[in-house]
Amino acid sequence: MGGEVSVREMRRFRRDPLGYIEDRARCSPAEVFRLPWGAWCVRDSELALAVLRDPLFHTGMSTFFGTMLPSRSAQILLGRAVRNVMRAHLPAYRERLPEGAAGLGPASQWPEAGPALVYRCAAGALLHPDAPPALQRLLAKAVAGGFTARQPYMRQRVRAEMLRPGLLAAITEHVRDRRAEGSAADEPRDVLDAVIGACAEGSTDRTVTDLYVLLFQSIVGNIGYALAWSLLLACLHHPPGPPWPWTAEGLVREAGRHRPFVWMVGRPVPHALEFGGLSFAPGTILSVSPYLLHHDARHWDRPELFRPERWNEPGEQGPYLPFSTGPFTCAGAAVAHSMITGAVDVLAQGAHLTVSGGDARPLVSGSALPRPFVLRRTLKTPVRPAPTKGGERHDRCNPTHHQEQAR
């Protein structure tokens, strides 16, 4: 099932990645079609869900962790440990959101502000406050420098990669100190403790560091950019001024359907398998696109439209997998959804939100990133009481008013 990558097809893909795969899926006579870089993608939604749940296709370990952990059970253990840490810190995250939202100011640059806000409010879960201040500053600088996703522009990628060596060295040094202290032996205090606890004693400090960075980027980046998509799409599809007619829950779900941050998932076929009438040799990359499943007109009503209200309408929804499905579903999916929804709630509460410079076309570079936009957040002016005939105000919110008059 090999073949050379088509340069012409790659150019078409880069011009409009999502439109390209929609066209290929629409024109393909088979249930599986070829991607320009040589992998294969399942077109049919039912077959795609069957592939994602197929036990033979998912034989072995998750490719997300690569070879850094020795077994599938170790991968599951780590995923659950990290989820539990983040879930335990949800109340603290929510408490910090108002301060984080205020720190954005009246105008903020997105999508970079998304990961920055998530990191600021979840910093204690990602790295315990007792960690060296210099390391905490490096992490904040890395987030601000675009370290949480593969950036689409060369200048951004260079800037992010320049930060990597110093950051990895500092994390590795801290890992060495923590392992020597045995601080992860009990209940994990943060994500780093969870990683140390899940790694075998023979694992190198650098392996622990690489696992931690992978999870750090996944948590901060995936949640931060999904938040950016939610805000951008809401502002693009609702006139400025009136409050949004949608709940944060429906808005976040619809943004995850309309523009899933992880738009394509794939893994090597572990054994010779057949899907959609085609035979696949071991090692062939077979992919499923959540974007295609989320826009299948057979299962979704007017899928091309951004309609958060669809989540309140009667009837079943179509296939929905912003965090994958089957054996390798993200362990922290529910926690991530809560973090995104909580941030949308706080940012929209008591404020008018508008955007400038953005549109719904993604920049696809591994993930589907929103294009740069400015979010303007104007706090609503509280309504003041009407003046009386004598020009005085009856201020019911000020208990000292009548005391002053009595004096």
Side-chain angles (χ1 to χ4, degrees):
M1 305 291 290
E4 296 297 325
V5 176
S6 166
V7 174
R8 184 169 63 88
E9 291 295 295
M10 279 300 298
R11 286 175 179 166
R12 285 182 56 203
F13 170 79
R14 286 170 179 156
R15 282 195 297 269
D16 181 10
L18 300 184
Y20 174 85
I21 64 165
E22 283 185 309
D23 287 343
R24 290 298 307 271
R26 186 166 44 250
C27 296
S28 174
E31 295 178 332
V32 185
F33 63 92
R34 192 72 176 271
L35 294 167
W37 53 89
W40 293 78
C41 183
V42 181
R43 174 184 64 81
D44 181 76
S45 291
E46 284 72 19
L47 180 60
L49 293 173
V51 167
L52 288 172
R53 295 165 181 160
D54 186 272
L56 291 178
F57 180 63
H58 290 94
T59 301
M61 300 195 294
S62 168
T63 55
F64 174 78
F65 294 104
T67 59
M68 290 184 283
L69 288 167
S71 64
R72 177 60 186 150
S73 60
Q75 292 181 340
I76 294 172
L77 176 67
L78 176 55
R80 290 175 177 173
V82 171
R83 174 200 61 198
N84 293 341
V85 167
M86 297 304 299
R87 184 164 55 196
H89 281 79
L90 268 178
Y93 169 81
R94 293 190 181 109
E95 287 179 7
R96 297 195 66 178
L97 277 171
E99 180 186 351
L104 294 175
S108 48
Q109 300 288 333
W110 291 71
E112 296 86 353
L117 177 63
V118 171
Y119 172 71
R120 179 175 181 177
C121 299
L126 296 160
L127 192 67
H128 194 271
D130 289 345
L135 176 56
Q136 297 181 52
R137 288 193 295 270
L138 275 175
L139 280 170
K141 185 177 180 180
V143 172
F147 188 70
T148 52
R150 187 175 185 275
Q151 298 299 324
Y153 300 117
M154 180 60 69
R155 180 181 299 177
Q156 294 173 319
R157 290 201 295 270
V158 170
R159 182 177 61 177
E161 288 305 311
M162 286 177 64
L163 298 169
R164 181 181 291 271
L167 178 63
L168 295 183
I171 296 174
T172 303
E173 181 180 354
H174 186 55
V175 166
R176 187 180 304 116
D177 293 342
R178 280 209 194 183
R179 296 180 94 182
E181 295 168 0
S183 61
D186 300 320
E187 193 71 18
R189 301 169 301 168
D190 58 13
V191 170
L192 183 54
D193 271 353
V195 174
I196 293 174
C199 287
E201 291 185 4
S203 301
T204 66
D205 294 334
R206 180 54 187 266
T207 297
V208 175
T209 295
D210 290 342
L211 275 169
Y212 173 73
V213 168
L214 176 68
L215 289 161
F216 181 95
Q217 291 177 308
S218 179
I219 294 168
V220 177
N222 287 23
I223 295 173
Y225 291 115
L227 170 60
W229 271 123
S230 297
L231 297 170
L232 174 63
L233 292 170
C235 290
L236 289 177
H237 291 85
H238 189 261
W244 293 339
W246 317 299
T247 64
E249 176 75 17
L251 171 56
V252 171
R253 286 188 178 277
E254 180 67 354
R257 182 202 69 83
H258 193 65
R259 288 293 182 267
F261 177 67
V262 180
W263 69 285
M264 183 79 75
V265 293
R267 62 183 273 108
V269 176
H271 313 289
L273 294 173
E274 181 177 309
F275 291 109
L278 296 176
S279 298
F280 296 90
T284 305
I285 302 298
L286 184 60
S287 303
V288 168
S289 172
Y291 175 82
L292 285 180
L293 269 68
H294 293 177
H295 288 76
D296 187 341
R298 296 175 302 162
H299 299 283
W300 293 94
D301 175 44
R302 294 174 289 171
E304 74 283 359
L305 299 181
F306 179 77
R307 296 180 57 247
E309 61 270 21
R310 76 171 72 243
W311 296 94
N312 297 323
E313 295 170 351
E316 293 185 3
Q317 305 295 344
Y320 183 67
L321 49 149
F323 301 101
S324 192
T325 191
F328 296 138
T329 302
C330 174
V335 176
H337 179 78
S338 294
M339 292 176 71
I340 302 165
T341 305
V344 168
D345 251 336
V346 168
L347 286 166
Q349 187 175 22
H352 294 299
L353 301 181
T354 58
V355 298
S356 57
D359 62 53
R361 296 173 303 150
L363 291 168
V364 174
S365 182
S367 303
L369 300 175
R371 293 174 184 269
F373 65 95
V374 174
L375 177 71
R376 302 190 186 280
R377 183 170 181 260
T378 306
L379 296 180
K380 298 175 183 176
T381 304
V383 177
R384 297 186 61 82
T388 64
K389 286 185 177 180
E392 297 176 353
R393 294 180 181 274
H394 291 299
D395 190 351
R396 295 183 180 179
C397 297
N398 184 358
T400 65
H401 176 78
H402 297 291
Q403 297 174 15
E404 293 292 338
Q405 295 299 314
R407 291 177 189 172

